[in-house]
Amino acid sequence: MSKDLQGKSVLVTGGAGVIGSVTARLFLAAGARVMLADLDADRLAAVAATLDGPVLTVAGDLSDEAAAARAVVATCDAYGGIDVLFSNAGISGAVAPIHELAVADFDRIVAANLRSMFLMVRAATAQMVKDGRGGAVVTMASSMSDWDVLSGGSGYVSTKHAVAGLTKSAALDLGPHGIRVNAVCPGVIETTLGVPGLESGGGASAVDRFAARIPLRRIGQPEDVAEVVLFLASDAARHVSGALWLIDGGQTLQSHSNG
C-alpha cells in the first residue's frame, strides 16, 4: 500500500509551526486537502501562502472547547468531512525544578499540550464516528513520553506521558469504528522547540552539541517526523494502531556506561 492520500481531508493543528507546516507540505504532495489550525492567525496565513495546493486556515486557542470544535467544523464545511487529524499543537513551556515551577506555568503547559489534544481528538473522532468512514489520528508525543526525561521539565514531561496514555486509550475505543490512533515521539529535532539555544542565537553550537550525543551523529529534521506522520495517516499503516513511534536517531539508547 502506498502513502497516497488523494482526496483525503486532513486537519493539522500547530500548523503555523515548523513540523506542522512541513507535514502539511507532504500531505499536499500526497494529494490531500489540508486545513491548518493554530493560535497565531498571521503566522498561519504566512505559512499557507508558502504551500502549493488546497490549503485553508482556522485560527483559535485549541484548549478552548468551542475553538476545537470550530476547527473540525471548518474542515468538514470546506472538504466534506475529516479523514485525518494530526494533533500537533504544543509548547515546551517553563523549565524549572518542580519545587520552583509556578502553578500558572504548569497549567499553561497542560492546557496547550494535553487539554487541547483531548479536545481535538474528541471533536475530530466524534465526527469520524458519525460519518462512519473510518479515519486516522496522529498525536504529537515525545521521546519523553516513555524513554527519556528532562531536568526541570515536570510540566512538559508529564503532559507527554499523558499524551501517550491518551493515544493508547483512544486507539482502543476507536478501533471498532475503523479509526486508527498513533503517536509520533520525536527526540531532539532542529526546531526552536526541540533544540534549546536556537532562539537565543546559539543555534550552530547547540545543534553540534546534540548531534554528538546521537548514535547516528545527526540531529533530527522536521522532515524526519513528517514522513512518519504521513505513513501513519496512510493506508500503508492500515494495521498500526495504539503505537508510539520513537524518532530519535538512537538518542535514548545512550547511557552513562556506553557514553
Side-chain angles (χ1 to χ4, degrees):
M1 301 290 284
S2 71
K3 292 186 284 188
D4 181 5
L5 292 168
Q6 191 66 43
K8 299 289 187 181
S9 60
V10 178
L11 172 56
V12 178
T13 73
V18 177
I19 290 176
S21 60
V22 169
T23 307
R25 183 170 286 107
L26 291 188
F27 276 128
L28 290 167
R33 301 168 297 171
V34 175
M35 178 71 70
L36 298 177
D38 203 287
L39 181 63
D40 190 332
D42 291 340
R43 193 172 172 191
L44 263 180
V47 167
T50 69
L51 299 174
D52 183 20
V55 57
L56 297 170
T57 64
V58 56
D61 179 355
L62 300 178
S63 68
D64 175 74
E65 184 177 357
R70 280 196 302 273
V72 173
V73 169
T75 306
C76 294
D77 286 349
Y79 301 135
I82 179 168
D83 298 298
V84 176
L85 168 67
F86 177 31
S87 192
N88 166 64
I91 60 173
S92 55
V95 175
I98 191 167
H99 60 287
E100 297 175 2
L101 183 65
V103 173
D105 288 334
F106 180 83
D107 287 345
R108 179 170 175 260
I109 297 169
V110 170
N113 291 359
L114 182 58
R115 179 179 168 84
S116 68
M117 184 80 66
F118 165 74
L119 290 174
M120 287 308 310
V121 173
R122 178 178 182 269
T125 59
Q127 186 65 47
M128 290 174 182
V129 170
K130 179 182 176 182
D131 291 345
R133 64 191 199 191
V137 174
V138 182
T139 61
M140 175 56 75
S142 169
S143 61
M144 295 180 195
S145 295
D146 188 39
W147 302 270
D148 207 350
V149 70
L150 171 68
S151 177
S154 57
Y156 179 82
V157 174
S158 60
T159 59
K160 292 304 181 179
H161 271 265
V163 168
L166 175 68
T167 300
K168 292 180 179 181
S169 183
L172 186 61
D173 290 343
L174 296 164
H177 299 280
I179 301 167
R180 299 179 297 101
V181 188
N182 295 287
V184 287
C185 303
V188 174
I189 304 297
E190 194 170 354
T191 68
T192 54
L193 180 62
V195 184
L198 288 184
E199 288 180 328
S200 60
S205 60
V207 168
D208 292 343
R209 175 163 46 88
F210 275 103
R213 294 165 50 189
I214 297 172
L216 291 181
R217 296 299 186 262
R218 63 182 292 272
I219 199 165
Q221 298 299 309
E223 292 79 6
D224 297 327
V225 180
E227 290 281 4
V228 178
V229 174
L230 185 68
F231 165 72
L232 292 172
S234 74
D235 286 343
R238 61 194 177 278
H239 202 57
V240 179
S241 195
L244 308 179
W245 281 65
L246 183 61
I247 310 167
D248 76 339
Q251 173 190 333
T252 51
L253 300 174
Q254 296 282 28
S255 67
H256 178 73
S257 59
N258 63 26

